[in-house]
Amino acid sequence: MRTFDLVVIGAGPGGYEAALDAAGRYGMRTALVEQRELGGTCLNRGCIPTKTLLHAASVLDGLRHAGEYGVEADAVHLRSDVLQSRKNQVVEQLRGGIAMLLKQKKVQVFQGSGSILDAHTVAVQTGEEVTKLDTERILIATGSVPVRPPIPGITLPGVMSSDQLLDRSEQPFDHLTIIGGGVIGVEFASVYLSMGSRVTILEALPRLISNMDRELSQSLKMLLKKRGADIHTDARVLGLESGSDGRLVCRYLEKEQEQTLETDGVLVCVGRRPCTEGLFGEGFTVEMERGRIVTDADGCTSVPGVYAIGDVTGGIMLAHAATAAGRNAVASMNRVPGPCFAQAVPACIYTEPEIASVGLTLDEAKAQGMDAESRKILTTANGKSVLSGQERGMIKVVYDRESRKILGAQLMCARASDLVSEFTQAMVSGLTVDEMARTIRPHPTFSEAITDAVRL
């Protein structure tokens, strides 16, 4: 009999949730291997820390506009050291909750770097000590790491990844230049604009958040520029150099013309890549494609008994997508249907206002040969939006013309990250726009805008 039924490598939201399911739901003897902190990138260097900063930015904005509601808020200023302490407190509290849950479910945690020697053996290295775990199955959930593009000067002081910027306790840069206009870039832009910094975004592609609906991208660019951001798309960074007074000089190509700008700090966030370094021992591997691990719909790799989920497999690099994939993979190991519907994965951007989407855009639906229609409403007449002073927002719903089933939705409005779940549930349940419209939503709420969007 093997020591463990399952060894999970990686304790991010995909790995630790899979371990909890395996031990708690299916009674599997489970081990969890993690070389850093429990919770992975999402909890320690991603979702939770960034949203803590974004919440602080929202509080700052609220105080600055408090006078519009008759509230006097004088001498408002940011204490970066206190904010950093608050961020760390939130992370530690949630990390402690994960540790408690793992202990309750009797998941054995091994602190160290995991390496797969064969389909039934994982070596865990902690310092000089190596522990070998014998197991029936292995689940790889090692996540991803930031891409470091080959830009000259990228190692200069003041040039940071998102991990490094999150750990910075000094006052915000007077001028922050962000290389990359994807989700991470626009979220940090939103934070630093609220904190009073000048922000420049340099994006190599023709538009921001290029993987989302074009209209959302255009609206976001407009709102960020309204708040003071200097945005350059189709801009390729050529190099970074040391400037005067400890500043940095960034050279970039825009419209075939070389441009330069001086800045106090540079954030490089041009994407992430699967983390597989040191994962496989000598003589063992699974099928790979451009750095990612190849799996089937159940998370099975090319080696029987070895599974992989989340960022390490490429595709949708979102914490909740990894969690769902992990739960489905563990269910597959136990020969039961996966509990999560993986065809409807919402994506959210926590700018001001928030952006969220699920399913197909109208262009994507038509490209797949579907007879689709869409309806867009503005949230300017929504009572909750007006009374709380929200920016102009919108909700678009995409549906099949004949069946009227929901195919997707795109939102840019207050609480979009919460509202999108209604559309996700509709897709999972196969609801039509008419069935969504039957729901009575309370007044005044942001969710009333959903009723307006689906009442055709």
Side-chain angles (χ1 to χ4, degrees):
M1 182 178 292
R2 302 205 178 271
T3 306
F4 294 102
D5 297 314
L6 174 65
V7 170
V8 180
I9 305 176
Y16 82 76
E17 292 279 10
L20 289 170
D21 251 25
R25 186 179 294 266
Y26 301 105
M28 301 173 76
R29 294 163 298 172
T30 305
L32 181 61
V33 179
E34 174 55 58
Q35 62 180 343
R36 296 183 71 175
E37 310 93 342
L38 291 176
T41 294
C42 178
L43 173 54
N44 298 284
R45 298 170 296 282
C47 317
I48 298 300
T50 55
K51 278 52 178 180
T52 303
L53 298 188
L54 282 158
H55 180 72
S58 178
V59 171
L60 258 178
D61 285 336
L63 289 171
R64 290 190 182 117
H65 294 92
E68 299 172 15
Y69 300 91
V71 179
E72 299 294 335
D74 298 327
V76 176
H77 66 280
L78 177 70
R79 284 278 305 276
S80 292
D81 56 338
V82 176
L83 176 55
Q84 187 69 209
S85 177
R86 170 60 181 168
K87 182 209 75 175
N88 292 337
Q89 178 189 352
V90 169
V91 170
E92 288 166 10
Q93 179 178 334
L94 293 173
R95 193 190 298 148
I98 294 170
M100 181 182 68
L101 286 172
L102 291 168
K103 184 176 181 180
Q104 287 176 348
K105 301 298 182 184
K106 295 182 171 54
V107 175
Q108 193 166 343
V109 178
F110 291 85
Q111 192 74 40
S113 177
S115 179
I116 304 173
L117 304 183
D118 59 49
H120 298 291
T121 310
V122 174
V124 182
Q125 183 162 355
T126 308
E128 298 299 318
E129 183 180 342
V130 176
T131 303
K132 290 186 178 180
L133 309 180
D134 189 34
T135 182
E136 188 67 31
R137 297 179 184 86
I138 298 169
L139 177 63
I140 301 167
T142 48
S144 61
V145 293
V147 170
R148 294 287 280 180
I151 298 173
I154 199 169
T155 59
L156 286 170
V159 182
M160 295 161 290
S161 68
S162 56
D163 293 2
Q164 294 166 317
L165 190 56
L166 281 170
D167 283 337
R168 190 174 184 275
S169 57
E170 295 87 354
Q171 286 297 107
F173 292 110
D174 289 335
H175 183 192
L176 175 67
T177 296
I178 300 172
I179 302 176
V183 174
I184 296 172
V186 298
E187 287 189 347
F188 271 105
S190 190
V191 168
Y192 272 77
L193 286 168
S194 294
M195 291 180 178
S197 300
R198 288 176 53 211
V199 173
T200 299
I201 300 176
L202 302 175
E203 169 56 53
L205 293 175
R207 59 190 178 93
L208 302 179
I209 53 170
S210 58
N211 62 327
M212 281 198 162
D213 178 79
R214 183 176 297 275
E215 188 174 3
L216 294 183
S217 171
Q218 293 168 342
S219 297
L220 176 63
K221 182 177 181 179
M222 179 186 70
L223 287 170
L224 287 174
K225 290 181 76 170
K226 180 181 175 183
R227 295 180 63 192
D230 184 20
I231 299 173
H232 301 264
T233 52
D234 279 319
R236 182 167 61 88
V237 177
L238 301 175
L240 299 163
E241 301 165 1
S242 296
S244 58
D245 301 322
R247 303 188 82 203
L248 293 159
V249 175
C250 178
R251 296 186 297 107
Y252 63 97
L253 197 66
E254 184 179 21
K255 296 179 181 178
E256 304 305 318
Q257 297 291 318
E258 184 171 327
Q259 311 284 347
T260 63
L261 65 84
E262 275 205 352
T263 186
D264 300 298
V266 175
L267 167 64
V268 181
C269 49
V270 296
R272 300 181 66 87
R273 60 176 176 80
C275 182
T276 57
E277 186 177 352
L279 180 60
F280 302 113
E282 187 176 350
F284 180 84
T285 190
V286 297
E287 184 184 350
M288 307 275 289
E289 181 181 271
R290 297 181 180 178
R292 73 178 186 91
I293 296 176
V294 177
T295 68
D296 65 13
D298 293 322
C300 301
T301 70
S302 58
V303 177
V306 179
Y307 295 72
I309 54 110
D311 290 11
V312 77
T313 66
I316 302 174
M317 291 190 175
L318 296 171
H320 46 280
T323 296
R327 288 172 177 163
N328 284 349
V330 172
S332 175
M333 295 174 196
N334 289 275
R335 296 181 175 83
V336 299
C340 300
F341 184 77
Q343 287 70 47
V345 180
C348 303
I349 305 177
Y350 296 83
T351 48
E352 186 65 43
E354 292 182 344
I355 294 172
S357 69
V358 66
L360 301 175
T361 65
L362 181 61
D363 288 344
E364 289 169 340
K366 288 185 173 180
Q368 293 183 23
M370 298 180 180
D371 185 14
E373 290 185 332
S374 72
R375 172 176 164 81
K376 181 181 82 172
I377 61 102
L378 300 180
T379 58
T380 46
N382 175 263
K384 189 68 176 287
S385 297
V386 173
L387 69 87
S388 57
Q390 301 299 323
E391 291 275 7
R392 172 188 170 100
M394 65 179 177
I395 296 177
K396 290 202 289 188
V397 57
V398 182
Y399 58 95
D400 181 83
R401 188 191 304 269
E402 182 178 351
S403 71
R404 298 170 72 81
K405 286 187 176 181
I406 304 292
L407 300 176
Q410 298 82 46
L411 304 85
M412 186 174 187
C413 57
R415 305 291 174 85
S417 62
D418 297 315
L419 300 181
V420 73
S421 292
E422 276 211 47
F423 292 103
T424 307
Q425 181 65 62
M427 291 182 65
V428 171
S429 304
L431 298 183
T432 67
V433 284
D434 307 296
E435 288 167 331
M436 284 194 75
R438 294 178 62 191
T439 299
I440 300 173
R441 297 174 178 87
H443 174 76
T445 61
F446 295 119
S447 67
E448 285 179 287
I450 293 176
T451 302
D452 295 334
V454 294
R455 285 185 67 220
L456 307 182

PDB file of all heavy atoms in Angstrom, residues 56-86:
ATOM      1  N   ALA A  56      -7.843  50.388  -0.510  1.00  0.00           N
ATOM      2  CA  ALA A  56      -7.314  51.604   0.114  1.00  0.00           C
ATOM      3  C   ALA A  56      -7.428  52.788  -0.844  1.00  0.00           C
ATOM      4  O   ALA A  56      -7.766  53.910  -0.431  1.00  0.00           O
ATOM      5  CB  ALA A  56      -5.847  51.393   0.516  1.00  0.00           C
ATOM      6  N   ALA A  57      -7.152  52.537  -2.128  1.00  0.00           N
ATOM      7  CA  ALA A  57      -7.273  53.595  -3.133  1.00  0.00           C
ATOM      8  C   ALA A  57      -8.710  54.085  -3.233  1.00  0.00           C
ATOM      9  O   ALA A  57      -8.970  55.287  -3.374  1.00  0.00           O
ATOM     10  CB  ALA A  57      -6.789  53.077  -4.487  1.00  0.00           C
ATOM     11  N   SER A  58      -9.666  53.152  -3.142  1.00  0.00           N
ATOM     12  CA  SER A  58     -11.074  53.513  -3.191  1.00  0.00           C
ATOM     13  C   SER A  58     -11.468  54.358  -1.983  1.00  0.00           C
ATOM     14  O   SER A  58     -12.231  55.331  -2.107  1.00  0.00           O
ATOM     15  CB  SER A  58     -11.937  52.246  -3.252  1.00  0.00           C
ATOM     16  OG  SER A  58     -13.307  52.557  -3.262  1.00  0.00           O
ATOM     17  N   VAL A  59     -10.941  54.001  -0.820  1.00  0.00           N
ATOM     18  CA  VAL A  59     -11.206  54.789   0.389  1.00  0.00           C
ATOM     19  C   VAL A  59     -10.652  56.211   0.219  1.00  0.00           C
ATOM     20  O   VAL A  59     -11.315  57.201   0.568  1.00  0.00           O
ATOM     21  CB  VAL A  59     -10.589  54.107   1.628  1.00  0.00           C
ATOM     22  CG1 VAL A  59     -10.666  55.028   2.850  1.00  0.00           C
ATOM     23  CG2 VAL A  59     -11.305  52.792   1.920  1.00  0.00           C
ATOM     24  N   LEU A  60      -9.445  56.313  -0.325  1.00  0.00           N
ATOM     25  CA  LEU A  60      -8.844  57.623  -0.574  1.00  0.00           C
ATOM     26  C   LEU A  60      -9.715  58.470  -1.494  1.00  0.00           C
ATOM     27  O   LEU A  60      -9.985  59.641  -1.227  1.00  0.00           O
ATOM     28  CB  LEU A  60      -7.463  57.435  -1.218  1.00  0.00           C
ATOM     29  CG  LEU A  60      -6.219  57.596  -0.354  1.00  0.00           C
ATOM     30  CD1 LEU A  60      -4.970  57.313  -1.176  1.00  0.00           C
ATOM     31  CD2 LEU A  60      -6.135  58.976   0.261  1.00  0.00           C
ATOM     32  N   ASP A  61     -10.160  57.850  -2.598  1.00  0.00           N
ATOM     33  CA  ASP A  61     -11.017  58.578  -3.545  1.00  0.00           C
ATOM     34  C   ASP A  61     -12.311  59.021  -2.875  1.00  0.00           C
ATOM     35  O   ASP A  61     -12.802  60.138  -3.108  1.00  0.00           O
ATOM     36  CB  ASP A  61     -11.343  57.684  -4.753  1.00  0.00           C
ATOM     37  CG  ASP A  61     -10.157  57.545  -5.698  1.00  0.00           C
ATOM     38  OD1 ASP A  61      -9.298  58.434  -5.702  1.00  0.00           O
ATOM     39  OD2 ASP A  61     -10.100  56.539  -6.427  1.00  0.00           O
ATOM     40  N   GLY A  62     -12.869  58.141  -2.036  1.00  0.00           N
ATOM     41  CA  GLY A  62     -14.102  58.471  -1.341  1.00  0.00           C
ATOM     42  C   GLY A  62     -13.935  59.671  -0.419  1.00  0.00           C
ATOM     43  O   GLY A  62     -14.791  60.563  -0.358  1.00  0.00           O
ATOM     44  N   LEU A  63     -12.822  59.710   0.294  1.00  0.00           N
ATOM     45  CA  LEU A  63     -12.561  60.831   1.200  1.00  0.00           C
ATOM     46  C   LEU A  63     -12.356  62.133   0.434  1.00  0.00           C
ATOM     47  O   LEU A  63     -12.793  63.199   0.867  1.00  0.00           O
ATOM     48  CB  LEU A  63     -11.325  60.520   2.049  1.00  0.00           C
ATOM     49  CG  LEU A  63     -11.510  59.439   3.123  1.00  0.00           C
ATOM     50  CD1 LEU A  63     -10.174  59.063   3.742  1.00  0.00           C
ATOM     51  CD2 LEU A  63     -12.473  59.927   4.205  1.00  0.00           C
ATOM     52  N   ARG A  64     -11.699  62.038  -0.712  1.00  0.00           N
ATOM     53  CA  ARG A  64     -11.458  63.246  -1.505  1.00  0.00           C
ATOM     54  C   ARG A  64     -12.758  63.850  -2.035  1.00  0.00           C
ATOM     55  O   ARG A  64     -12.848  65.044  -2.272  1.00  0.00           O
ATOM     56  CB  ARG A  64     -10.517  62.922  -2.661  1.00  0.00           C
ATOM     57  CG  ARG A  64      -9.083  62.625  -2.227  1.00  0.00           C
ATOM     58  CD  ARG A  64      -8.150  62.559  -3.413  1.00  0.00           C
ATOM     59  NE  ARG A  64      -6.796  62.220  -2.989  1.00  0.00           N
ATOM     60  CZ  ARG A  64      -6.151  61.123  -3.351  1.00  0.00           C
ATOM     61  NH1 ARG A  64      -6.730  60.254  -4.161  1.00  0.00           N
ATOM     62  NH2 ARG A  64      -4.929  60.895  -2.933  1.00  0.00           N
ATOM     63  N   HIS A  65     -13.745  62.995  -2.251  1.00  0.00           N
ATOM     64  CA  HIS A  65     -15.028  63.484  -2.771  1.00  0.00           C
ATOM     65  C   HIS A  65     -16.102  63.563  -1.686  1.00  0.00           C
ATOM     66  O   HIS A  65     -17.276  63.746  -1.977  1.00  0.00           O
ATOM     67  CB  HIS A  65     -15.512  62.563  -3.907  1.00  0.00           C
ATOM     68  CG  HIS A  65     -14.637  62.610  -5.120  1.00  0.00           C
ATOM     69  ND1 HIS A  65     -13.588  61.747  -5.309  1.00  0.00           N
ATOM     70  CD2 HIS A  65     -14.647  63.439  -6.198  1.00  0.00           C
ATOM     71  CE1 HIS A  65     -12.987  62.033  -6.465  1.00  0.00           C
ATOM     72  NE2 HIS A  65     -13.609  63.050  -7.020  1.00  0.00           N
ATOM     73  N   ALA A  66     -15.689  63.418  -0.430  1.00  0.00           N
ATOM     74  CA  ALA A  66     -16.655  63.394   0.675  1.00  0.00           C
ATOM     75  C   ALA A  66     -17.437  64.690   0.772  1.00  0.00           C
ATOM     76  O   ALA A  66     -18.605  64.702   1.186  1.00  0.00           O
ATOM     77  CB  ALA A  66     -15.938  63.099   1.990  1.00  0.00           C
ATOM     78  N   GLY A  67     -16.814  65.810   0.378  1.00  0.00           N
ATOM     79  CA  GLY A  67     -17.489  67.094   0.471  1.00  0.00           C
ATOM     80  C   GLY A  67     -18.757  67.170  -0.350  1.00  0.00           C
ATOM     81  O   GLY A  67     -19.673  67.935  -0.027  1.00  0.00           O
ATOM     82  N   GLU A  68     -18.841  66.370  -1.417  1.00  0.00           N
ATOM     83  CA  GLU A  68     -20.044  66.344  -2.249  1.00  0.00           C
ATOM     84  C   GLU A  68     -21.253  65.812  -1.488  1.00  0.00           C
ATOM     85  O   GLU A  68     -22.403  66.030  -1.897  1.00  0.00           O
ATOM     86  CB  GLU A  68     -19.791  65.478  -3.486  1.00  0.00           C
ATOM     87  CG  GLU A  68     -18.658  65.997  -4.375  1.00  0.00           C
ATOM     88  CD  GLU A  68     -18.299  65.012  -5.473  1.00  0.00           C
ATOM     89  OE1 GLU A  68     -19.103  64.071  -5.711  1.00  0.00           O
ATOM     90  OE2 GLU A  68     -17.223  65.163  -6.087  1.00  0.00           O
ATOM     91  N   TYR A  69     -20.996  65.132  -0.372  1.00  0.00           N
ATOM     92  CA  TYR A  69     -22.072  64.551   0.436  1.00  0.00           C
ATOM     93  C   TYR A  69     -22.184  65.242   1.793  1.00  0.00           C
ATOM     94  O   TYR A  69     -22.814  64.709   2.719  1.00  0.00           O
ATOM     95  CB  TYR A  69     -21.833  63.044   0.622  1.00  0.00           C
ATOM     96  CG  TYR A  69     -21.791  62.297  -0.697  1.00  0.00           C
ATOM     97  CD1 TYR A  69     -20.593  62.108  -1.383  1.00  0.00           C
ATOM     98  CD2 TYR A  69     -22.970  61.808  -1.265  1.00  0.00           C
ATOM     99  CE1 TYR A  69     -20.565  61.464  -2.599  1.00  0.00           C
ATOM    100  CE2 TYR A  69     -22.943  61.142  -2.484  1.00  0.00           C
ATOM    101  CZ  TYR A  69     -21.739  60.986  -3.146  1.00  0.00           C
ATOM    102  OH  TYR A  69     -21.708  60.337  -4.368  1.00  0.00           O
ATOM    103  N   GLY A  70     -21.540  66.391   1.899  1.00  0.00           N
ATOM    104  CA  GLY A  70     -21.620  67.147   3.147  1.00  0.00           C
ATOM    105  C   GLY A  70     -20.722  66.637   4.239  1.00  0.00           C
ATOM    106  O   GLY A  70     -20.893  66.994   5.407  1.00  0.00           O
ATOM    107  N   VAL A  71     -19.742  65.798   3.885  1.00  0.00           N
ATOM    108  CA  VAL A  71     -18.819  65.242   4.875  1.00  0.00           C
ATOM    109  C   VAL A  71     -17.482  65.970   4.763  1.00  0.00           C
ATOM    110  O   VAL A  71     -16.857  65.978   3.698  1.00  0.00           O
ATOM    111  CB  VAL A  71     -18.610  63.726   4.647  1.00  0.00           C
ATOM    112  CG1 VAL A  71     -17.618  63.173   5.666  1.00  0.00           C
ATOM    113  CG2 VAL A  71     -19.934  62.986   4.740  1.00  0.00           C
ATOM    114  N   GLU A  72     -17.046  66.603   5.855  1.00  0.00           N
ATOM    115  CA  GLU A  72     -15.770  67.311   5.850  1.00  0.00           C
ATOM    116  C   GLU A  72     -14.654  66.331   6.208  1.00  0.00           C
ATOM    117  O   GLU A  72     -14.681  65.704   7.265  1.00  0.00           O
ATOM    118  CB  GLU A  72     -15.793  68.453   6.869  1.00  0.00           C
ATOM    119  CG  GLU A  72     -16.849  69.507   6.583  1.00  0.00           C
ATOM    120  CD  GLU A  72     -16.575  70.262   5.291  1.00  0.00           C
ATOM    121  OE1 GLU A  72     -15.397  70.319   4.883  1.00  0.00           O
ATOM    122  OE2 GLU A  72     -17.526  70.794   4.693  1.00  0.00           O
ATOM    123  N   ALA A  73     -13.685  66.191   5.301  1.00  0.00           N
ATOM    124  CA  ALA A  73     -12.553  65.291   5.544  1.00  0.00           C
ATOM    125  C   ALA A  73     -11.274  66.042   5.214  1.00  0.00           C
ATOM    126  O   ALA A  73     -10.795  66.027   4.079  1.00  0.00           O
ATOM    127  CB  ALA A  73     -12.690  64.038   4.684  1.00  0.00           C
ATOM    128  N   ASP A  74     -10.724  66.721   6.211  1.00  0.00           N
ATOM    129  CA  ASP A  74      -9.534  67.550   6.000  1.00  0.00           C
ATOM    130  C   ASP A  74      -8.261  66.735   6.188  1.00  0.00           C
ATOM    131  O   ASP A  74      -8.244  65.687   6.846  1.00  0.00           O
ATOM    132  CB  ASP A  74      -9.527  68.726   6.980  1.00  0.00           C
ATOM    133  CG  ASP A  74     -10.725  69.643   6.758  1.00  0.00           C
ATOM    134  OD1 ASP A  74     -11.145  69.769   5.598  1.00  0.00           O
ATOM    135  OD2 ASP A  74     -11.228  70.214   7.750  1.00  0.00           O
ATOM    136  N   ALA A  75      -7.185  67.234   5.584  1.00  0.00           N
ATOM    137  CA  ALA A  75      -5.831  66.673   5.775  1.00  0.00           C
ATOM    138  C   ALA A  75      -5.771  65.186   5.472  1.00  0.00           C
ATOM    139  O   ALA A  75      -5.197  64.403   6.231  1.00  0.00           O
ATOM    140  CB  ALA A  75      -5.344  66.946   7.199  1.00  0.00           C
ATOM    141  N   VAL A  76      -6.373  64.779   4.376  1.00  0.00           N
ATOM    142  CA  VAL A  76      -6.320  63.376   3.965  1.00  0.00           C
ATOM    143  C   VAL A  76      -4.955  63.089   3.336  1.00  0.00           C
ATOM    144  O   VAL A  76      -4.525  63.786   2.419  1.00  0.00           O
ATOM    145  CB  VAL A  76      -7.432  63.059   2.937  1.00  0.00           C
ATOM    146  CG1 VAL A  76      -7.306  61.633   2.434  1.00  0.00           C
ATOM    147  CG2 VAL A  76      -8.795  63.285   3.570  1.00  0.00           C
ATOM    148  N   HIS A  77      -4.259  62.100   3.865  1.00  0.00           N
ATOM    149  CA  HIS A  77      -2.991  61.704   3.265  1.00  0.00           C
ATOM    150  C   HIS A  77      -2.770  60.213   3.483  1.00  0.00           C
ATOM    151  O   HIS A  77      -3.411  59.585   4.337  1.00  0.00           O
ATOM    152  CB  HIS A  77      -1.822  62.511   3.849  1.00  0.00           C
ATOM    153  CG  HIS A  77      -1.571  62.246   5.306  1.00  0.00           C
ATOM    154  ND1 HIS A  77      -2.318  62.835   6.302  1.00  0.00           N
ATOM    155  CD2 HIS A  77      -0.654  61.463   5.925  1.00  0.00           C
ATOM    156  CE1 HIS A  77      -1.874  62.430   7.482  1.00  0.00           C
ATOM    157  NE2 HIS A  77      -0.873  61.589   7.271  1.00  0.00           N
ATOM    158  N   LEU A  78      -1.859  59.653   2.691  1.00  0.00           N
ATOM    159  CA  LEU A  78      -1.605  58.215   2.711  1.00  0.00           C
ATOM    160  C   LEU A  78      -0.391  57.891   3.568  1.00  0.00           C
ATOM    161  O   LEU A  78       0.658  58.524   3.421  1.00  0.00           O
ATOM    162  CB  LEU A  78      -1.365  57.717   1.277  1.00  0.00           C
ATOM    163  CG  LEU A  78      -1.001  56.236   1.124  1.00  0.00           C
ATOM    164  CD1 LEU A  78      -2.198  55.364   1.443  1.00  0.00           C
ATOM    165  CD2 LEU A  78      -0.499  55.965  -0.292  1.00  0.00           C
ATOM    166  N   ARG A  79      -0.527  56.908   4.456  1.00  0.00           N
ATOM    167  CA  ARG A  79       0.596  56.350   5.212  1.00  0.00           C
ATOM    168  C   ARG A  79       0.932  55.001   4.600  1.00  0.00           C
ATOM    169  O   ARG A  79       0.297  53.989   4.889  1.00  0.00           O
ATOM    170  CB  ARG A  79       0.215  56.194   6.681  1.00  0.00           C
ATOM    171  CG  ARG A  79       0.183  57.460   7.493  1.00  0.00           C
ATOM    172  CD  ARG A  79       1.582  57.854   7.977  1.00  0.00           C
ATOM    173  NE  ARG A  79       2.219  56.759   8.710  1.00  0.00           N
ATOM    174  CZ  ARG A  79       2.021  56.504  10.011  1.00  0.00           C
ATOM    175  NH1 ARG A  79       1.187  57.270  10.723  1.00  0.00           N
ATOM    176  NH2 ARG A  79       2.642  55.506  10.599  1.00  0.00           N
ATOM    177  N   SER A  80       1.958  54.978   3.745  1.00  0.00           N
ATOM    178  CA  SER A  80       2.305  53.751   3.028  1.00  0.00           C
ATOM    179  C   SER A  80       2.737  52.635   3.967  1.00  0.00           C
ATOM    180  O   SER A  80       2.469  51.457   3.717  1.00  0.00           O
ATOM    181  CB  SER A  80       3.410  54.024   2.011  1.00  0.00           C
ATOM    182  OG  SER A  80       2.938  54.849   0.974  1.00  0.00           O
ATOM    183  N   ASP A  81       3.418  52.990   5.062  1.00  0.00           N
ATOM    184  CA  ASP A  81       3.864  51.966   6.003  1.00  0.00           C
ATOM    185  C   ASP A  81       2.676  51.293   6.685  1.00  0.00           C
ATOM    186  O   ASP A  81       2.662  50.067   6.891  1.00  0.00           O
ATOM    187  CB  ASP A  81       4.822  52.552   7.042  1.00  0.00           C
ATOM    188  CG  ASP A  81       4.217  53.734   7.802  1.00  0.00           C
ATOM    189  OD1 ASP A  81       3.273  54.372   7.282  1.00  0.00           O
ATOM    190  OD2 ASP A  81       4.684  54.015   8.928  1.00  0.00           O
ATOM    191  N   VAL A  82       1.643  52.080   7.005  1.00  0.00           N
ATOM    192  CA  VAL A  82       0.445  51.516   7.640  1.00  0.00           C
ATOM    193  C   VAL A  82      -0.318  50.643   6.645  1.00  0.00           C
ATOM    194  O   VAL A  82      -0.807  49.563   6.985  1.00  0.00           O
ATOM    195  CB  VAL A  82      -0.467  52.635   8.181  1.00  0.00           C
ATOM    196  CG1 VAL A  82      -1.751  52.045   8.755  1.00  0.00           C
ATOM    197  CG2 VAL A  82       0.263  53.452   9.244  1.00  0.00           C
ATOM    198  N   LEU A  83      -0.395  51.112   5.394  1.00  0.00           N
ATOM    199  CA  LEU A  83      -1.071  50.319   4.366  1.00  0.00           C
ATOM    200  C   LEU A  83      -0.346  48.999   4.145  1.00  0.00           C
ATOM    201  O   LEU A  83      -0.985  47.948   4.006  1.00  0.00           O
ATOM    202  CB  LEU A  83      -1.132  51.112   3.058  1.00  0.00           C
ATOM    203  CG  LEU A  83      -1.723  50.386   1.850  1.00  0.00           C
ATOM    204  CD1 LEU A  83      -3.110  49.848   2.141  1.00  0.00           C
ATOM    205  CD2 LEU A  83      -1.753  51.312   0.638  1.00  0.00           C
ATOM    206  N   GLN A  84       0.982  49.023   4.129  1.00  0.00           N
ATOM    207  CA  GLN A  84       1.750  47.796   3.952  1.00  0.00           C
ATOM    208  C   GLN A  84       1.494  46.827   5.104  1.00  0.00           C
ATOM    209  O   GLN A  84       1.336  45.621   4.907  1.00  0.00           O
ATOM    210  CB  GLN A  84       3.241  48.126   3.864  1.00  0.00           C
ATOM    211  CG  GLN A  84       4.135  46.957   3.515  1.00  0.00           C
ATOM    212  CD  GLN A  84       3.973  46.468   2.097  1.00  0.00           C
ATOM    213  OE1 GLN A  84       4.174  45.287   1.805  1.00  0.00           O
ATOM    214  NE2 GLN A  84       3.585  47.347   1.186  1.00  0.00           N
ATOM    215  N   SER A  85       1.409  47.385   6.320  1.00  0.00           N
ATOM    216  CA  SER A  85       1.123  46.557   7.491  1.00  0.00           C
ATOM    217  C   SER A  85      -0.268  45.941   7.396  1.00  0.00           C
ATOM    218  O   SER A  85      -0.467  44.762   7.728  1.00  0.00           O
ATOM    219  CB  SER A  85       1.240  47.414   8.761  1.00  0.00           C
ATOM    220  OG  SER A  85       0.900  46.671   9.908  1.00  0.00           O
ATOM    221  N   ARG A  86      -1.237  46.731   6.936  1.00  0.00           N
ATOM    222  CA  ARG A  86      -2.603  46.234   6.766  1.00  0.00           C
ATOM    223  C   ARG A  86      -2.645  45.107   5.730  1.00  0.00           C
ATOM    224  O   ARG A  86      -3.279  44.083   5.949  1.00  0.00           O
ATOM    225  CB  ARG A  86      -3.522  47.379   6.337  1.00  0.00           C
ATOM    226  CG  ARG A  86      -4.918  46.965   5.894  1.00  0.00           C
ATOM    227  CD  ARG A  86      -5.699  46.255   6.980  1.00  0.00           C
ATOM    228  NE  ARG A  86      -7.019  45.864   6.522  1.00  0.00           N
ATOM    229  CZ  ARG A  86      -7.820  45.037   7.176  1.00  0.00           C
ATOM    230  NH1 ARG A  86      -7.445  44.502   8.321  1.00  0.00           N
ATOM    231  NH2 ARG A  86      -9.014  44.749   6.698  1.00  0.00           N
TER     232      ARG A  86
END
